[in-house]
């Protein structure tokens, strides 16, 4: 991944999650286009992180080449069990 691409994806990621909060062993998934048009190497198209059971962060490359952050939250219903 080139420096400018790494900077842009980190900037998008940082808008939702502070990278300094990443911990050793925490899984970050990287997604590449194996056959990009007009490129000599695979192109980074997205990343995802699940910082906890209720939240997943996705960063996806848009059609114009920018990176768009998306924060998905799962709300678990709470119920009292007697």
């Amino acid at each position: 991944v080139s420096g400018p691409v790494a900077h842009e994806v980190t900037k998008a990621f940082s808008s939702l999650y502070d990278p300094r909060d990443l911990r050793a062993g925490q899984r970050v998934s990287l997604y590449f286009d194996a056959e990009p048009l007009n490129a000599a190497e695979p192109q980074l198209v997205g990343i995802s992180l699940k910082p906890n059971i209720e939240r997943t962060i996705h960063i996806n490359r848009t059609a114009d080449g920018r990176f768009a952050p998306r924060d998905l939250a799962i709300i678990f219903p709470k119920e009292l069990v007697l």
Side-chain angles (χ1 to χ4, degrees):
V1 176
S2 70
V5 170
H7 174 75
E8 289 302 315
V9 76
T10 301
K11 188 167 68 170
F13 182 75
S14 297
S15 70
L16 297 178
Y17 189 82
D18 188 341
R20 294 174 293 190
D21 291 335
L22 288 170
R23 299 291 171 239
Q26 198 168 9
R27 179 174 286 179
V28 177
S29 298
L30 304 174
Y31 302 95
F32 292 89
D33 181 352
E35 298 180 21
L37 299 174
N38 303 321
E41 60 185 48
Q43 183 179 48
L44 180 67
V45 294
I47 67 171
S48 67
L49 168 72
K50 190 170 181 70
N52 59 52
I53 195 167
E54 298 174 335
R55 185 176 182 207
T56 303
I57 297 168
H58 293 281
I59 309 298
N60 297 316
R61 186 184 291 266
T62 61
D64 64 1
R66 296 182 181 173
F67 288 95
R70 192 168 43 133
D71 196 349
L72 301 174
I74 299 171
I75 300 172
F76 293 100
K78 297 177 183 175
E79 64 181 67
L80 180 61
V81 179
L82 300 173

